[in-house]
Amino acid sequence: MSEPLIRFQNLSKRFKRNRVLDAVTLDLEPGERIALIGSNGAGKTTLIRCLLGEYTFDGGVIVDGLGARRERTHVLSTIGFVPQLPPPLKMPVRQLVHFAAAICGSSAERMLDVARRLGLDVQSIAARPFNRLSGGMKQKLLIAIALGRDTRVLVLDEPAANLDPEARQIFFQLLAERLENTTMIISSHRLDEVAPLVNRVIEMDMGKIVLDDRVADESSLAALFAVCLVFSRADEAIAKTLTGWNFVAEEAAETTAWTGEVAAPDRLRFFGMLSRYVGLLSRIEMHETGD
Amino acid sequence: MKHLVLTAKLDIIESLRSRWFLIYCFVFGGIVALLFAFGLTESRVLGFIGLSRLLVTYIQLAMAILPIFVLITTVRSVAGDREAGVFEYLLSLPVSLSAWFWGKIVGRYITIFLPVFAAMLGAVLWALYREIEVPWQMFLYYTGLLAAIGWCFLGIGMLISTIARSTDVAQGAAFIVWLTMLLFLDLILLGLLIQGRMAPDLAITLALANPLQVFRTAALSLFDPQLIVLGPAAYVILDLFGPVGFKIYALVYPVFLGTLCAGLGYFVFKRSDLP
């Protein structure tokens, strides 16, 4: 068996009397996509901060043979991170990207290319302070900074929470392009948000790992599904929601039939949304159309 | 080194867009403008007239305002950044802790020193334009004093920011440090001496360890080289250092103290939780 890329070894962390991580031992292999789930205070953020060398701790966190805290600069050069809450930086977007590119040894243009793919109009926001962008824009930019460089590990904290369906689809494609050689840790409160993205689920509670399971999915991250929905009657709320998912009403069917595409990792979320209108749903068709 | 420069640049950009920096520039620029507007260069006090009179007043005001301004803005922005998640994100990038910490200090030092210096330089340029005589020696020494005291309180501010985990605690601690130094200027020391509870040597040692007092005495020494206004304490100071020696001490000691505090701050920062 190969050496794990990341090894948490008997990792414990205390804040005064409060034990937040309790002897966590965990190996993460190259190429694994891990959903790190758990309620508030379960220890997810603390685990991530230990991995990023931001906390002192008892035990060990080894990334590719290097100590996460002791050799943090080397370790962090291989980790891309997207935080759940964007930092309230006042600097203009252009300067933030240039700063991150220079520190990470990447190019600003490469990061901006990823931002453009995510649908961000880079030209128009270049001079705007980062903290004045909308939540979605900030998220796209932070994703662009994390993905616009060479990394072996991606740590994503609720990464797609503020993205529209189109941007989510592109985000999944971007992740799919890195499947071969990148280990991903995706943190979330809810499994349904991240389950389709991952092949392993780790649940934390009270600073301990309470579940470590595998997820089987035949579809790739970049796969798309063509969907046709037929409703028993037209409804304004359904129309509004499906328009948000970029679905279009079929002309011949008097607006009761809708067609569109759903990204493979978004299926669970899509069905969650659809469950609200199941009383009016008379037919559903779904088939994979490829990447 | 490249990362240190990048971090310093980042801190300068962030500071230039902050409200505190605008107020800071407004206060120091405003002081000089007001001193000119109220005709201070034409008034005469203790034989001082022209720009030297203005500089003496400016340095006295700077002594009152600069330390508390530097302390509060430093602890507010550093501890505030930590609380708001700026550290969590920026320190997840591959920047070394030394480059980050010292880069932040360098950037901040530039932003706190430049407005104070620019205000004084503006006064000098205006004096040259109005053909008022410029006391260059005084200008250069005051520049050095402001640079030293700015560095000293920046170092103290960074130490407080790394030890205190929240903005409120950091702000409170900074205020207490400043207030203690202020009280130990004259008030408490004189009171203790009069009550006979403290040996004069100890009182003078405490005064010389207080960077605010050192700054004040050095500023006085330019227009009162024998430090007559200090009374008997002047004999001890001048016997110990000599007039030139004290001027050098007043530049070196605050820089040493600031560097010591910043070094301690870095030591704590490196060994503690970052966000």
Side-chain angles (χ1 to χ4, degrees):
Chain A
M1 197 172 161
S2 64
E3 273 290 297
L5 182 62
I6 301 169
R7 170 164 280 174
F8 296 98
Q9 223 165 16
N10 213 19
L11 176 67
S12 294
K13 175 69 186 169
R14 272 178 183 278
F15 293 113
K16 293 180 182 162
R17 287 184 185 175
N18 188 16
R19 201 178 179 92
V20 184
L21 290 179
D22 191 0
V24 171
T25 295
L26 184 66
D27 285 351
L28 307 181
E29 305 296 332
E32 277 192 318
R33 307 191 304 275
I34 297 110
L36 188 62
I37 58 166
S39 55
N40 285 334
K44 307 185 298 290
T45 303
T46 308
L47 189 80
I48 287 174
R49 287 180 175 179
C50 289
L51 174 63
L52 296 173
E54 294 184 334
Y55 277 161
T56 56
F57 47 77
D58 295 322
V61 180
I62 310 293
V63 181
D64 211 9
L66 301 170
R69 177 76 185 199
R70 193 174 299 181
E71 288 136 310
R72 60 181 295 284
T73 315
H74 290 293
V75 169
L76 290 176
S77 64
T78 65
I79 300 180
F81 172 58
V82 180
Q84 183 184 2
L85 296 173
L89 293 163
K90 299 179 198 81
M91 74 180 88
V93 166
R94 187 192 299 114
Q95 265 155 340
L96 173 60
V97 174
H98 279 269
F99 171 77
I103 290 281
C104 300
S106 183
S107 82
E109 202 43 45
R110 187 175 162 193
M111 291 176 175
L112 292 174
D113 276 343
V114 178
R116 284 188 200 99
R117 280 184 70 184
L118 285 164
L120 209 54
D121 183 1
V122 174
Q123 196 71 31
S124 69
I125 61 161
R128 274 169 68 181
F130 178 77
N131 61 346
R132 296 279 171 84
L133 301 180
S134 70
M137 284 175 167
K138 286 179 195 167
Q139 196 79 350
K140 286 176 187 176
L141 199 70
L142 295 179
I143 290 171
I145 289 171
L147 298 182
R149 51 187 274 229
D150 296 323
T151 53
R152 295 194 67 196
V153 182
L154 278 174
V155 180
L156 313 165
D157 202 349
E158 306 268 11
N162 287 319
L163 299 184
D164 50 76
E166 204 174 339
R168 285 171 71 92
Q169 196 173 312
I170 297 160
F171 172 58
F172 299 144
Q173 277 172 13
L174 287 165
L175 292 185
E177 288 167 15
R178 290 177 165 244
L179 285 185
E180 290 294 307
N181 46 13
T182 306
T183 298
M184 296 178 198
I185 301 171
I186 305 169
S187 171
S188 182
H189 297 104
R190 294 170 53 186
L191 179 59
D192 60 334
E193 279 285 327
V194 293
L197 281 173
V198 301
N199 52 20
R200 186 176 172 189
V201 177
I202 292 169
E203 185 177 355
M204 294 189 73
D205 188 34
M206 308 285 281
K208 288 185 174 183
I209 291 169
V210 292
L211 175 87
D212 187 349
D213 204 0
R214 304 275 160 181
V215 178
D217 192 346
E218 295 295 322
S219 302
S220 78
L221 271 185
L224 285 173
F225 284 80
V227 180
C228 176
L229 306 168
V230 179
F231 293 94
S232 54
R233 63 174 167 83
D235 183 273
E236 205 178 323
I238 293 174
K240 196 177 169 193
T241 307
L242 288 176
T243 307
W245 279 81
N246 292 331
F247 271 55
V248 288
E250 276 195 359
E251 287 172 20
E254 295 172 345
T255 72
T256 57
W258 292 81
T259 54
E261 282 184 325
V262 175
D266 253 349
R267 281 168 295 170
L268 207 56
R269 206 169 140 263
F270 180 75
F271 285 131
M273 175 278 295
L274 206 57
S275 66
R276 301 205 299 267
Y277 310 112
V278 75
L280 296 177
L281 188 64
S282 54
R283 206 179 86 214
I284 178 168
E285 284 175 24
M286 191 175 205
H287 63 271
E288 194 171 337
T289 58
D291 292 1
Chain B
M1 196 62 187
K2 182 189 159 199
H3 286 187
L4 188 146
V5 173
L6 282 168
T7 309
K9 206 175 141 194
L10 178 90
D11 200 77
I12 292 170
I13 294 166
E14 284 290 291
S15 297
L16 293 182
R17 290 175 166 268
S18 302
R19 234 170 287 151
W20 74 261
F21 184 74
L22 281 178
I23 297 168
Y24 187 73
C25 290
F26 181 75
V27 166
F28 283 97
I31 287 173
V32 169
L34 281 175
L35 294 181
F36 269 113
F38 286 108
L40 207 74
T41 48
E42 278 82 45
S43 67
R44 181 187 290 271
V45 173
L46 285 170
F48 277 81
I49 192 166
L51 198 68
S52 55
R53 168 88 176 107
L54 183 140
L55 289 180
V56 165
T57 313
Y58 179 73
I59 206 88
Q60 298 294 328
L61 290 171
M63 188 197 77
I65 307 167
L66 183 69
I68 187 68
F69 236 119
V70 172
L71 278 177
I72 295 292
T73 57
T74 302
V75 300
R76 264 188 72 85
S77 63
V78 176
D81 278 359
R82 187 195 283 129
E83 273 183 342
V86 173
F87 276 28
E88 185 201 25
Y89 182 67
L90 292 179
L91 288 172
S92 75
L93 300 173
V95 56
S96 73
L97 294 183
S98 58
W100 170 262
F101 188 87
W102 294 106
K104 217 163 170 52
I105 287 188
V106 170
R108 188 144 287 263
Y109 183 66
I110 291 169
T111 49
I112 59 163
F113 178 64
L114 275 187
V116 181
F117 175 68
M120 211 159 64
L121 188 67
V124 166
L125 293 176
W126 183 249
L128 288 173
Y129 173 70
R130 296 281 301 273
E131 295 181 347
I132 299 170
E133 193 188 344
V134 177
W136 287 108
Q137 206 185 338
M138 182 186 259
F139 169 71
L140 287 176
Y141 188 66
Y142 278 179
T143 302
L145 271 184
L146 288 173
I149 208 74
W151 177 259
C152 176
F153 281 92
L154 177 63
I156 295 171
M158 287 302 282
L159 175 61
I160 294 170
S161 308
T162 50
I163 294 170
R165 303 306 296 178
S166 74
T167 314
D168 291 342
V169 174
Q171 217 165 300
F175 189 68
I176 287 169
V177 166
W178 176 76
L179 202 61
T180 308
M181 287 182 183
L182 204 64
L183 288 173
F184 270 86
L185 273 181
D186 294 315
L187 303 173
I188 291 179
L189 290 179
L190 274 176
L192 289 172
L193 277 173
I194 290 166
Q195 287 178 345
R197 284 205 227 151
M198 186 186 277
D201 285 355
L202 179 61
I204 291 168
T205 307
L206 282 176
L208 288 175
N210 180 353
L212 271 186
Q213 180 66 64
V214 171
F215 183 70
R216 186 176 175 223
T217 310
L220 285 174
S221 73
L222 270 195
F223 60 87
D224 178 13
Q226 298 306 312
L227 296 173
I228 294 162
V229 292
L230 289 186
Y235 292 113
V236 183
I237 293 170
L238 293 177
D239 280 354
L240 199 63
F241 296 100
V244 179
F246 183 72
K247 278 183 195 166
I248 294 169
Y249 172 76
L251 291 176
V252 173
Y253 173 67
V255 172
F256 167 75
L257 188 64
T259 309
L260 182 72
C261 289
L264 274 173
Y266 174 62
F267 184 79
V268 174
F269 176 71
K270 222 170 77 165
R271 281 160 178 74
S272 58
D273 295 335
L274 308 178

